[in-house]
């Protein structure tokens, strides 16, 4: 069991290592990008990566406070579903009504690592990086073309 401070430090070390590992990789447009805090340019639309002591997941989160707008954004993603699947080369789970850990209703499109892995075990870090890297790069490829269909939500 780790203290709060030890757990925080290990998480910071993992994300720092992941950031260093990804930093030489430009985005689809050839620009430098902060892969950990990916900017979609659309308010309330995020590409998120999470990892804890059991598993990891990566997802698109639509968190607009207006349910109607959130539904419109989710519908827009459904229009791009085949393009997204082609970039990711796998099927992700589509959840139009997801309550986050704070009870806030969001929409999510994502996938979870299919094996147990912990951010608190350095020996699991290569598997976690191997899970996140191709998916965040694929999301960037997808977004480089799809973002124009979401400009009305800016």
């Amino acid at each position: 069991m780790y203290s709060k401070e030890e757990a925080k430090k290990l998480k910071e070390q993992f994300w720092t290592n992941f950031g260093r590992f990804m930093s030489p990789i430009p985005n689809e447009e050839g620009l430098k990008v902060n892969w950990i805090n990916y900017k979609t340019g659309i308010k309330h639309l995020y590409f998120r990566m999470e990892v804890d002591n059991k598993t990891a997941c990566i997802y698109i989160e639509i968190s607009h406070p207006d349910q109607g707008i959130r539904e419109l954004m989710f519908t827009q993603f459904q229009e791009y579903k085949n393009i997204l699947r082609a970039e990711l080369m796998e099927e992700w789970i589509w959840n139009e009504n997801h309550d986050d850990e704070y009870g806030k209703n969001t929409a999510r499109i994502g996938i979870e690592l299919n094996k147990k892995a912990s951010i608190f075990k350095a020996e699991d870090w290569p598997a976690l990086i191997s899970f996140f890297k191709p998916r965040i790069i694929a999301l960037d490829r997808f977004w480089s073309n799809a973002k124009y269909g979401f400009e009305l939500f800016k």
Side-chain angles (χ1 to χ4, degrees), residues 28 31 49 62 82 111 148:
E28 184 67 13
L31 303 173
M49 295 177 282
I62 305 165
N82 290 335
I111 194 165
Y148 304 106

Side-chain angles (χ1 to χ4, degrees), residues 135-148:
R135 288 166 180 87
I136 193 68
I137 291 171
L139 279 175
D140 174 65
R141 277 194 314 267
F142 162 78
W143 192 243
S144 72
N145 293 313
K147 64 184 171 188
Y148 304 106

Side-chain angles (χ1 to χ4, degrees), residues 3-142:
S3 72
K4 218 176 196 181
E5 191 58 40
E6 290 170 324
K8 181 181 176 188
K9 190 173 181 179
L10 278 169
K11 287 178 182 181
E12 286 174 1
Q13 286 175 342
F14 172 79
W15 289 115
T16 298
N17 286 344
F18 182 74
R20 283 188 191 132
F21 180 77
M22 295 293 292
S23 67
I25 302 168
N27 71 3
E28 184 67 13
E29 296 164 357
L31 303 173
K32 186 166 179 60
V33 64
N34 181 345
W35 293 104
I36 297 167
N37 189 19
Y38 190 94
K39 303 282 187 207
T40 64
I42 306 294
K43 198 171 182 180
H44 307 294
L45 178 63
Y46 307 97
F47 296 168
R48 303 229 194 253
M49 295 177 282
E50 291 181 359
V51 60
D52 59 21
N53 64 338
K54 294 179 184 156
T55 191
C57 60
I58 183 169
Y59 55 91
I60 300 165
E61 181 177 63
I62 305 165
S63 64
H64 200 285
D66 183 295
Q67 182 180 351
I69 295 174
R70 197 170 53 245
E71 289 171 359
L72 285 172
M73 291 173 81
F74 189 82
T75 300
Q76 187 71 355
F77 269 101
Q78 288 175 318
E79 294 293 321
Y80 288 94
K81 188 173 187 173
N82 290 335
I83 297 167
L84 181 60
R85 186 185 307 124
E87 287 296 347
L88 296 169
M89 296 186 291
E90 63 189 359
E91 191 64 44
W92 282 21
I93 297 166
W94 293 66
N95 186 350
E96 192 169 2
N97 291 296
H98 174 82
D99 290 325
D100 70 13
E101 63 271 16
Y102 305 106
K104 181 179 174 185
N105 190 257
T106 66
R108 283 190 178 178
I109 305 160
I111 194 165
E112 192 172 293
L113 181 63
N114 64 1
K115 67 178 187 175
K116 187 174 174 153
S118 174
I119 195 168
F120 302 120
K121 294 181 182 173
E123 62 268 22
D124 288 350
W125 290 5
L128 293 168
I129 290 169
S130 295
F131 172 72
F132 288 132
K133 179 186 175 186
R135 288 166 180 87
I136 193 68
I137 291 171
L139 279 175
D140 174 65
R141 277 194 314 267
F142 162 78

